[in-house]
Amino acid sequence: MRHSGMPSPELPRLTPAVARSFAVVAAIVYVADLLAQTRDHLSNGAGRPFGDDFINYWSAAYLAWHGRASEIYDFQAFHIFEQSVIGAPIQDYHYSYPPVLLLLTAPLAVMPYVPALFVWLGASWYAFYRALRLAMPQGGALLFALASPAVLINAIGGQNGAWTAALLGGGLGLMERRPLLAGGVLGLLIYKPQLGLLIPIALVAGRQWRALAAASVVAGGLLALSVVCFGPEVWTDNLRNVGLLRKTILEDGTGVWHRFVSVFVAARRLGAPVETAYVIQIVSGLLASVAVAWVWWGRAPAGVKNAVLVLGTCLASPYLQDYDLVFATLVVAWLWQTCGSVNSSLTLLICSGLLLVLPLAASALAHPTGLALGPLFILPLYLVALRMSVDSRVTELRWSAST
């Protein structure tokens, strides 16, 4: 649904040549980075494995489906297994995801490691691209999906950001036409619960009862099936590790904070004690929750609702890294497809650009400044989305008054 009587402009034309050039450069950078990880067997000789974090997903899937699930959350046993796969010493990689992901990554267990990496990245990119097509029905999704900076960061890290974007984009993009399927897709995000924090609030406020029911059934079914397949002990091990990882990665953050773009880590980098940072994060999360509920309760265009939900999640979750921002591409597409005010296009363009470059800028700025500036890149477009929601409500009231 768009603003009544207003044209829907295409995504800003940053000249196809520039986008294509970036896509080509990104491909070259990725291949060069991947080749550098073959200096010592399947590693770069300095502790980084071929495919980077993908070693965690493949190793966990392999162990789970070969009767060795007890080793997944045992740091030492898991590390030994990963080194046997790589054939060289690597840094302390670990598996921090809930056991439900072991169900979703089961196909990896039957593939050799190297081919599995390319299947993982290729399939996730294609799923993301299909979700982006829902947000960009007028065309341009293919080039935008290839030229998104977050896609490069996600690929270099061997991460799951494209999968998350595909589920968010697919679920939200199908909400109006196929709510049951949309809810089922969103329910799969139980594997990454910190990025699904505000989805129940949005679905309740939007009276999307069928989608909410479907999401609950899928999420609950995955939880139950993981217990049946791997036993309750795996969940006990996972919950124990979550506490340890929260302290070492999120609260202390030595060596990893430079990739974080959350409000919590921004506060910690400014010197806030852990308790104060949590208070700031809670306040940010509550404000985002209220905003999401207000926008989804009203009749704002679907693209604006989706953007407010996703950007609000960025401000509500304490655990948010640069590779997660593949979904930023969807946010920009939703808002540009909805925007009908020529006067707002320049502001929207600048704020969209800030969000899109954040995956490239987060680490680059964190190292020299010692700060986590992610929220400053996210907040401007979030405010633009909220303003578009207000404008749509004002337009609706004026139309109602005139009739």
Side-chain angles (χ1 to χ4, degrees):
M1 182 172 64
R2 299 186 178 93
H3 292 289
S4 177
M6 293 182 178
S8 178
E10 296 180 1
L11 202 66
R13 297 194 177 189
L14 301 176
T15 72
V18 173
R20 291 191 184 98
S21 297
F22 180 85
V24 171
V25 171
I28 294 172
V29 169
Y30 174 69
V31 171
D33 179 76
L34 201 61
L35 290 176
Q37 298 164 42
T38 59
R39 290 173 182 158
D40 182 5
H41 294 82
L42 290 178
S43 84
N44 67 349
R48 184 171 177 233
F50 187 87
D52 206 10
D53 285 339
F54 178 70
I55 184 63
N56 297 324
Y57 305 117
W58 187 89
S59 297
Y62 182 92
L63 290 172
W65 294 101
H66 285 79
R68 300 167 62 182
S70 61
E71 298 177 40
I72 295 173
Y73 299 107
D74 181 327
F75 290 126
Q76 184 176 3
F78 194 64
H79 183 68
I80 291 172
F81 176 77
E82 289 189 319
Q83 289 194 144
S84 72
V85 174
I86 299 303
I90 61 173
Q91 297 172 11
D92 293 329
Y93 286 75
H94 58 268
Y95 192 74
S96 58
Y97 294 89
V100 293
L101 187 57
L102 301 174
L103 298 171
L104 303 179
T105 56
L108 298 178
V110 297
M111 289 183 264
Y113 178 73
V114 173
L117 170 64
F118 297 109
V119 171
W120 169 264
L121 293 177
S124 63
W125 178 86
Y126 183 71
F128 158 64
Y129 160 65
R130 293 302 298 265
L132 188 58
R133 284 184 59 183
L134 294 176
M136 301 178 65
Q138 296 177 353
L142 178 60
L143 183 57
F144 200 24
L146 290 170
S148 174
V151 171
L152 171 62
I153 300 301
N154 178 78
I156 288 176
Q159 268 290 347
N160 57 45
W163 284 118
T164 303
L167 295 178
L168 278 171
L172 295 176
L174 294 169
M175 187 65 65
E176 293 185 339
R177 288 179 292 163
R178 304 184 67 181
L180 285 175
L181 177 59
V185 171
L186 292 175
L188 295 175
L189 279 171
I190 190 66
Y191 88 88
K192 204 160 190 176
Q194 71 269 24
L195 295 184
L197 288 173
L198 303 187
I199 289 176
I201 294 173
L203 297 183
V204 170
R207 283 85 74 196
Q208 296 287 353
W209 307 120
R210 287 184 292 174
L212 180 63
S216 301
V217 169
V218 169
L222 286 173
L223 290 172
L225 187 58
S226 68
V227 173
V228 172
C229 291
F230 310 119
E233 300 82 8
V234 173
W235 273 99
T236 302
D237 295 340
N238 168 247
L239 294 175
R240 183 186 66 248
N241 281 8
V242 165
L244 295 173
L245 294 173
R246 183 184 67 245
K247 180 173 179 57
T248 57
I249 295 178
L250 183 62
E251 297 177 355
D252 296 338
T254 302
V256 295
W257 267 351
H258 62 283
R259 301 197 64 174
F260 275 77
V261 293
S262 68
V263 170
F264 178 87
V265 173
R268 289 288 286 137
R269 294 285 258 183
L270 286 171
V274 171
E275 295 78 8
T276 303
Y278 273 123
V279 170
I280 294 172
Q281 180 65 76
I282 290 171
V283 171
S284 177
L286 289 175
L287 292 174
S289 299
V290 171
V292 167
W294 182 79
V295 172
W296 277 70
W297 181 263
R299 295 185 178 179
V304 174
K305 288 182 176 181
N306 296 344
V308 170
L309 170 59
V310 174
L311 292 175
T313 300
C314 292
L315 299 174
S317 174
Y319 199 100
L320 183 71
Q321 297 198 53
D322 51 8
Y323 61 79
D324 289 317
L325 296 174
V326 178
F327 54 56
T329 315
L330 290 159
V331 171
V332 172
W334 283 324
L335 293 180
W336 274 94
Q337 290 294 322
T338 306
C339 176
S341 172
V342 176
N343 293 329
S344 69
S345 294
L346 179 59
T347 300
L348 181 56
L349 175 60
I350 294 172
C351 296
S352 297
L354 283 174
L355 184 63
L356 290 175
V357 302
L358 176 56
L360 295 177
S363 180
L365 291 175
H367 283 299
T369 65
L371 301 175
L373 301 175
L376 298 181
F377 286 72
I378 297 169
L379 189 59
L381 192 58
Y382 181 60
L383 296 177
V384 168
L386 290 177
R387 176 60 186 270
M388 291 172 69
S389 176
V390 172
D391 289 347
S392 70
R393 184 160 294 191
V394 170
T395 301
E396 179 186 345
L397 291 174
R398 287 175 178 173
W399 183 85
S400 299
S402 65
T403 56

